[in-house]
Amino acid sequence: MKLKCRIFFRTALCLVISAATGCGALNTDLSVPEKEIPKTFPNRKDDATIAGISWRRYFADPLLVELIDTAIRNNLDLQIALQRIEMSRSSVKLANGALLPKVGLNVGGGVQKFGLYTMDGAGNASTYITPGQIVPENLTDIFLGLQASWEVDVWGKLRNQRKAAISQYLASVEGSRFVISNLVADVAIHYNELLALDNELDIIRQTLRKQQEALEVIKLQKETGRANELAVQQFSAQLLNSEVLEKQTLQRITETENRINFLLGRYPQPIPRKKDVLFQAVPRQISAGIPSQLLANRPDIRAAEFEIEAGKFDLKAAKAAFYPNFNITATLGFQAFNPEFLFQSPASLAYSLMGTLVAPLINMNALKAQFNTAKANQLTAMYNYQKTILNGYVEVANQLSNLRNLQRMHELKKQQSETLQKSVDTSKELYRSARATYLEVLIAQQNALQANLELIDVIKQERLSTVNIYRALGGGWR
């Protein structure tokens, strides 16, 4: 017996040593080249950042704040993200449970008949199961008790799986914050687009009235012989073109309202707003902070960092799968062939205890494939982290440059619009005194309309840039 035990433990030890030797070549310390983050953004030296400002303070329009509130309560993408958090939380609980012994109530029964000309059958035929009673031909077996099993986490596989689940949970939390940040920005962007369209519609309708007046003047001049039918046709065509532009703008307003309603998780309905808000001054200087603050403020960067942690623990768990598993199983309960003897203690008391050590031999290729997959996932997470940081820096740099240029364009477009508006009045006066042609009047009106629409668009882009900078810096989720 002692010899058999020695052989068993030697065999087990050899399995452990061979598994450990085979796993020594599996490297879990991975790294990728890292690019150093610049100290500042281009042409910026400010240390503060607007990312820490709550969106309720950053967006001063109370109507916009109310819309964002509704979106955060009802947006379907955000609800999906919150359910991902719940799934990740359940995965953590599942991983925690794997570390503990599994205990269950086992109630079972059965019947068995052995052939007479077998060792069991012949033995039963001459054996008394109770005093004066031979073992019955149909032997029943009833068991009632506890059954337990426990995988002893010797190599840390289960602990690493739990750590990976926790990291995935934290990544899902950051993912939901990233959804909120994008949702806040999207609502603000579409809201400002809607304000711009309202003002564009006003300009188009003002132009329509002026064009209608001009057409009436041309018709009167034709009656007096000072203009011809061609002039009337040209002014009519210009009026019709503006009417088409009005209808197109009305359609764009409807579509933008519906996009906002979709973000708010509701069916189409009017969006309350005040179009004059578009002309409220935007900050001349945006506090962007320093690039390293992106690591703390942007949820997508923090989520990518947690993905790296999860990949690292998954890789360690995949490596631990090469080592033998140590399992302990046990049962404790009452067992008898007849229910009336089931609870007679200690006669019917039954228990078992067994430990097993199982080392993988045949399925090594599958384990290697699993390890290589975990390794590739971790490297992918590392590269994605670097990409996310680079993308965040580029987004901020682009928007800062965009805002500076838009502010200059705003001034230039405003001057152009004022000049062309004066040219419309001048062309009318010159036409009345026969010192300008009707074509010059048409061109002046068309240029003024185009310049006014372009001015509105620049103002809109300027406001959108402040929203995009806020999002790029990691604001909007607090």
Side-chain angles (χ1 to χ4, degrees), residues 1-12:
M1 182 66 181
K2 292 182 179 179
L3 179 61
K4 290 182 179 179
C5 289
R6 290 196 196 100
I7 294 174
F8 171 78
F9 284 115
R10 286 176 183 173
T11 304

Side-chain angles (χ1 to χ4, degrees), residues 266-287:
R266 66 189 189 188
Y267 288 97
Q269 56 183 275
I271 300 296
R273 71 264 190 188
K274 295 179 180 179
K275 57 189 175 184
D276 295 339
V277 173
L278 184 71
F279 300 102
Q280 291 180 355
V282 299
R284 301 296 298 179
Q285 183 74 13
I286 294 291
S287 299

Side-chain angles (χ1 to χ4, degrees), residues 69 243 333 340 411 416 442:
D69 262 331
E243 289 176 346
E340 68 176 285
E411 297 299 327
Q416 180 192 25
L442 288 172

Side-chain angles (χ1 to χ4, degrees), residues 134-146:
I134 298 293
V135 175
E137 183 178 356
N138 296 310
L139 181 62
T140 57
D141 186 18
I142 302 171
F143 179 82
L144 173 63
L146 301 176

Side-chain angles (χ1 to χ4, degrees), residues 380-391:
T380 300
M382 289 178 173
Y383 284 117
N384 182 63
Y385 178 68
Q386 297 294 328
K387 176 185 173 183
T388 307
I389 293 175
L390 178 60
N391 178 66

